[in-house]
Amino acid sequence: MGQGVVREWFDILSNEIVNPDYALFTQSADGTTFQPNSNSYVNPDHLNYFRFAGQILGLALNHRQLVNIYFTRSFYEHILGIPVNYQDVASIDPEYAKNLQWILDNDISDLGLELTFSVETDVFGAMEEVPLKPGGGSILVTQNNKAEYVQLVTELRMTRAIQPQINAFLQGFHMFIPPSLIQLFDEYELELLLSGMPEIDVSDWIKNTEYTSGYEREDPVIQWFWEVVEDITQEERVLLLQFVTGSSRVPHGGFANIMGGSGLQNFTIAAVPYTPNLLPTSSTCINMLKLPEYPSKEILKDRLLVALHCGSYGYTMA
C-alpha cells in the first residue's frame, strides 16, 4: 500500500505494545524507556502477547522499519544474550542501584546490615520473600560474598523476574531475525537499528521551557538560542537534550513529562554573566542549561556546539 502506510502501521503497533492497559511493559524511572513488566501475568494471555511483540519488532527490523519505542539498555542486552550487571538496575530503580554500588564500594563487615541471600519484592502491593539461591534466607551477606549477592539481586530484578516474558518475546523475534545475526551488534547499535535517532519536536520543547536568573522568553539571547536549535541537525538536538537532562530521549507525552531529581521538572534556561570563550554548562538533576549572555547569535552557536560535541556526556562536581 506504500511506505507511508507501512511506517504508520509499525508506528501504531509499537505504541500499542507499550499501552499500559495491556500491562506488558513498564516505564523506566525517567519515563523514556520500557522493559517487560514482571506483573504482566495479570493478563492470562500475556506470553502470547510478548511473542507477538517480538514478531512485530523482528518484522520491523527485517523490513528496515523503525518502531516508536525505546527499551531499557538491559532489555537490549537480553535480546543480544549479553549478561546484565548491577548498573542496569538504575534504569528501573536509581536509589536501589546506588545502594548496590555502596555495598560494593564499602566494607560491610561490621555494619550490622544482616542482609541475607533473600529479598522482599512487591507483587501488586503485597511483599513476598524471594530467595536469591537455594537456602538463601539463611545465608548471610559478608564482605567475601557481597559481589555474588549484588549480581544475584541484579539478575533477580532484571532477568529472573521477567524470564518467561523475555523468552516469549525472543521466540517471536527470532522467527524473523536469527540469534547469529543480531549478535553481530552491541546494545547501542541495536537501539539505533530498531528505533533510530529520537525525534525532537522543537515547538513542544519551546512551549515547555522555563527561564530563570534574569532571562525572559523575549530576550535576544533566548531568541538566538531557539533559532540555533532550529538550525542544528537532529543529532545535535539529541546531544543538547543529553547535555542538559542526561537523557537522549523525550518521555512519552513530550517535554511536559520530563522528570527531574524529585518529580516533573521542566527544561530550564538560566542566565550566566558572559566572559570571552565561556561555554554553556548544565545541571542535569534539575534539567537546567546555564547559558551565558552571549553578545551575538554567532558566538552563542559556536560555544554551544563546542559544548555539545565535547561535553554531552559525563559530569563534574559543583
Side-chain angles (χ1 to χ4, degrees):
M1 297 298 293
Q3 283 300 300
V5 177
V6 172
R7 281 195 297 272
E8 184 178 357
W9 187 76
F10 276 109
D11 191 66
I12 292 170
L13 269 176
S14 59
N15 277 320
E16 284 301 299
I17 285 170
V18 295
N19 184 332
D21 291 344
Y22 299 121
L24 297 178
F25 289 86
T26 185
Q27 284 186 313
S28 61
D30 65 5
T32 64
T33 56
F34 290 85
Q35 79 154 22
N37 182 355
S38 59
N39 296 324
S40 65
Y41 56 80
V42 66
N43 176 347
D45 208 27
H46 70 130
L47 294 183
N48 282 332
Y49 278 88
F50 273 106
R51 193 173 297 108
F52 176 70
Q55 287 175 316
I56 292 303
L57 264 71
L59 194 62
L61 193 53
N62 187 281
H63 288 279
R64 300 182 183 180
Q65 294 291 334
L66 298 176
V67 295
N68 190 26
I69 317 171
Y70 287 92
F71 294 107
T72 57
R73 196 71 59 209
S74 60
F75 189 59
Y76 291 121
E77 290 169 351
H78 287 314
I79 295 174
L80 296 168
I82 299 172
V84 296
N85 65 68
Y86 73 94
Q87 292 168 323
D88 294 319
V89 177
S91 65
I92 60 169
D93 194 338
E95 285 303 313
Y96 199 72
K98 286 180 185 176
N99 292 340
L100 295 179
Q101 181 70 64
W102 188 92
I103 289 172
L104 290 174
D105 291 344
N106 293 274
D107 189 335
I108 63 170
S109 302
D110 302 316
L111 295 179
L113 295 178
E114 297 184 356
L115 293 172
T116 66
F117 277 75
S118 180
V119 295
E120 280 194 336
T121 188
D122 187 341
V123 180
F124 291 115
M127 300 306 292
E128 291 185 7
E129 194 77 19
V130 178
L132 297 175
K133 60 182 185 178
S138 58
I139 303 172
L140 286 174
V141 178
T142 66
Q143 183 66 15
N144 292 330
N145 64 18
K146 66 180 184 179
E148 180 191 9
Y149 169 80
V150 167
Q151 182 60 30
L152 289 175
V153 165
T154 299
E155 290 174 5
L156 174 67
R157 294 289 296 271
M158 309 303 292
T159 306
R160 276 176 56 191
I162 54 172
Q163 193 67 64
Q165 292 91 328
I166 292 168
N167 292 344
F169 179 93
L170 290 178
Q171 258 188 332
F173 187 80
H174 289 154
M175 287 178 66
F176 298 97
I177 308 293
S180 58
L181 288 183
I182 201 63
Q183 287 166 1
L184 296 172
F185 305 100
D186 64 24
E187 62 270 31
Y188 302 97
E189 293 166 332
L190 177 58
E191 179 182 51
L192 287 174
L193 283 171
L194 282 171
S195 306
M197 293 293 289
E199 288 295 321
I200 293 178
D201 183 341
V202 176
S203 60
D204 181 53
W205 198 346
I206 294 171
K207 186 172 76 172
N208 291 287
T209 294
E210 297 176 1
Y211 306 93
T212 187
S213 304
Y215 275 147
E216 301 287 344
R217 172 68 183 91
E218 298 75 23
D219 290 342
V221 175
I222 297 301
Q223 294 188 44
W224 294 336
F225 172 79
W226 289 119
E227 288 170 9
V228 168
V229 173
E230 292 274 11
D231 290 342
I232 60 179
T233 66
Q234 184 72 5
E235 289 79 4
E236 287 166 335
R237 289 177 196 153
V238 171
L239 287 177
L240 174 59
L241 186 63
Q242 174 80 44
F243 181 74
V244 180
T245 69
S247 173
S248 61
R249 303 173 194 87
V250 181
H252 277 250
F255 280 87
N257 294 324
I258 285 183
M259 300 296 289
S262 55
L264 290 173
Q265 175 65 62
N266 272 353
F267 189 92
T268 304
I269 303 177
V272 175
Y274 171 73
T275 58
N277 296 320
L278 185 64
L279 295 174
T281 57
S282 65
S283 294
T284 56
C285 56
I286 53 174
N287 301 330
M288 179 180 285
L289 173 66
K290 299 171 183 177
L291 186 67
E293 298 168 298
Y294 292 111
S296 72
K297 177 181 172 180
E298 291 70 29
I299 295 175
L300 186 156
K301 183 174 183 178
D302 175 75
R303 297 289 84 195
L304 181 64
L305 290 179
V306 168
L308 298 188
H309 287 287
C310 299
S312 61
Y313 292 90
Y315 64 91
T316 57
M317 296 300 292

